[in-house]
Amino acid sequence: MKQHDSTPDRGLEFLGLRVHRTVFPLAVALIVLAVIAALLDPVGFNAHVARLRGGILQHFDSFIMIMGNLFVVLCVVLALSPLGRVRLGGPQATPQFGFVSWFSMLFAAGMGVGLLYWGVAEPVAAYTGWPDTPLNVAPRTPAAAHAAMGSALFHWGLHPWAVYLVTALVVGYFAYNKGLPFAMSSALSPLIGRRHAGPIGQGVDIFTVVLTTFGLATSLGLGAMQSAAGMHLVLGTPDGLVMQGLFIAAVCLTAGYSVWTGIEVGILRLSNLNMALAILLLAFCAVGMGIGAYLTGLLVALVDYARLILPLSDWRLRPDTDWYHAWTVYYWAWWCSWGPLVGVFIARVSRGRTIRQMVGVVMVAPAAFAALWFTAFGGGAINQVIAGKGPLTGGVQDVNMAIFQFLGQLPLSAITSLLVVLLLVIFTVTSVDSGALVADNLASNGRTDTPRPQRVLWVFLIGLVATTLLVLGGDAGLKGLQSATIVMALPYLALMAVLIPGFIKALLQDHRR
């Protein structure tokens, strides 16, 4: 990739690695120190970070919500304006990947595991009132069913993908159109000029590397816990550290192969396989509901989303204080903590796409798929609760088990449950391999041509963090790291509040020229 002339070479080569001489060692040191702190006193660390997280979600809720809304509005305005014609890489750039593969990769990196984890649990929790209901409707009523589906689509629809998309546009524009390193720090150039390669920019890249690693390690650990619980239910295997460790090992070995072969081979093929299996599972559940009932439920869910998006976006008048902080604000912070990971990866695979195309495919299309998914799983699970059928009737007792309990009331439950476990593995792999590439890029001065062993190193660093916390720190250690990741979402939002004006300024200057 072309490097900007004003960007000094900060590379360091040793043991076959090509890394940034400051970002790489400091990022790794901070990761190690945080893990040690979590292991010295897992319960205490978890409690301390949870208090900090609670304070941020309580006192900065308005800022978090305003920024989430701003991301959506900015994406819509860019798509509708003449700036929507701007193409990443310049007017002559052509897309590297076809539409289906492009969508599959960005979706698998963005939230595939989350849909398996919360696709059943969140709507049922909202309907039954755990810990509250959206907008304070009475639980287990028709109004609660509408609120549950509308709020689920609100949390998994346009807003999270707008967070990812803005990050992708900012990084991709300065890398592909300005020839700067493929790093978050490059977006500082309109504001501080050549100093973006200095200590300030290095601090930004260190922060994003640490945030990316923590977010992936947390998701890897949670995926291991859910997979072990599902295997225990279906096959009777032990639900403990052994199965969780096997899950992490399988993910890291597969992800290591994937990043070794690169985006064009490993990541592309796994993402396409992932999408095909997810659609197969979705189709099974939709047919199980009855096509007519499914389509009716989909239409109703979309209407609920459209009807509730403004009331749920209003941070001033939300009456559901508990639900608002425990779910909406928490989700917004969680999406922001994944912003660098998913956003930078989307930028990597989106060269040759216009801003208008990216808004349509990166923001709107995944929101549409989320509607399809939640109608089949969340809507189907609520129907089971209403009918008094299955363990979900008593509400969500274990988030790890929710999707397996739902499938257990359908035909071929053993097969579909095993398919969920397989999807958990592959979705986690596609998150880890794409995140490892992002961390590698950010820690090597924006290089996209780093040695293969260096990419694999990040995969196993992520796996080592997750395994260490699970084995030595248990659930408390993993939850502590998750809380720390949420805490880091606040400075990320502050960073984006600084980067967005510079991005708009650069876009307008190029447009006028």
Side-chain angles (χ1 to χ4, degrees), residues 10 68 124 157 188 256-257 357 371 424 442 452 460 472 499 503 510:
R10 303 287 183 183
V124 172
L188 291 168
Y257 167 77
Q357 289 172 338
L424 275 171
L442 296 174
R452 289 175 172 179
F460 287 99
L472 300 180
L499 297 184
F503 169 62
D510 285 353

Side-chain angles (χ1 to χ4, degrees), residues 67-153:
M67 288 298 294
N69 293 335
L70 175 64
F71 287 136
V72 175
V73 172
L74 175 61
C75 291
V76 172
V77 170
L78 286 175
L80 297 179
S81 74
L83 296 176
R85 296 193 297 268
V86 172
R87 189 177 301 275
L88 294 187
Q92 306 305 318
T94 57
Q96 183 179 2
F97 303 101
F99 171 81
V100 174
S101 296
W102 180 39
F103 176 78
S104 297
M105 285 190 290
L106 67 91
F107 186 82
M111 58 176 57
V113 174
L115 288 180
L116 291 170
Y117 201 77
W118 292 108
V120 170
E122 181 180 340
V124 172
Y127 176 71
T128 57
W130 175 61
D132 194 357
T133 54
L135 302 177
N136 279 353
V137 300
R140 298 179 182 267
T141 62
H146 290 290
M149 293 301 296
S151 66
L153 296 189

Side-chain angles (χ1 to χ4, degrees), residues 287-348:
V287 171
M289 289 179 65
I291 296 300
Y294 175 76
L295 293 177
T296 301
L298 176 61
L299 178 60
V300 171
L302 290 172
V303 170
D304 289 334
Y305 181 29
R307 180 173 59 85
L308 295 178
I309 188 170
L310 291 181
L312 291 172
S313 298
D314 192 342
W315 65 94
R316 302 164 301 170
L317 302 174
R318 286 283 295 264
D320 49 344
T321 302
D322 290 340
W323 183 269
Y324 170 62
H325 287 100
W327 292 86
T328 304
V329 181
Y330 182 91
Y331 263 134
W332 269 215
W334 182 246
W335 300 135
C336 291
S337 72
W338 274 62
L341 187 165
V342 183
V344 175
F345 179 74
I346 291 173
R348 276 288 305 271

Side-chain angles (χ1 to χ4, degrees), residues 211-367:
L211 181 56
T212 295
T213 305
F214 284 175
L216 282 171
T218 300
S219 292
L220 180 56
L222 293 176
M225 293 168 62
Q226 187 182 25
S227 175
M231 293 290 285
H232 174 71
L233 178 68
V234 178
L235 300 178
T237 54
D239 182 7
L241 289 175
V242 173
M243 293 304 298
Q244 294 168 5
L246 289 175
F247 175 89
I248 292 175
V251 167
C252 289
L253 288 172
T254 309
Y257 167 77
S258 180
V259 297
W260 182 276
T261 55
I263 292 179
E264 297 82 359
V265 181
I267 294 178
L268 177 62
R269 291 175 180 174
L270 281 173
S271 297
N272 287 335
L273 174 62
N274 230 352
M275 205 67 203
L277 293 177
I279 291 173
L280 177 63
L281 183 62
L282 171 62
F284 172 82
C285 293
V287 171
M289 289 179 65
I291 296 300
Y294 175 76
L295 293 177
T296 301
L298 176 61
L299 178 60
V300 171
L302 290 172
V303 170
D304 289 334
Y305 181 29
R307 180 173 59 85
L308 295 178
I309 188 170
L310 291 181
L312 291 172
S313 298
D314 192 342
W315 65 94
R316 302 164 301 170
L317 302 174
R318 286 283 295 264
D320 49 344
T321 302
D322 290 340
W323 183 269
Y324 170 62
H325 287 100
W327 292 86
T328 304
V329 181
Y330 182 91
Y331 263 134
W332 269 215
W334 182 246
W335 300 135
C336 291
S337 72
W338 274 62
L341 187 165
V342 183
V344 175
F345 179 74
I346 291 173
R348 276 288 305 271
V349 299
S350 298
R351 189 178 189 276
R353 304 289 181 177
T354 66
I355 292 178
R356 190 168 294 136
Q357 289 172 338
M358 292 185 68
V359 171
V361 176
V362 177
M363 189 172 79
V364 178

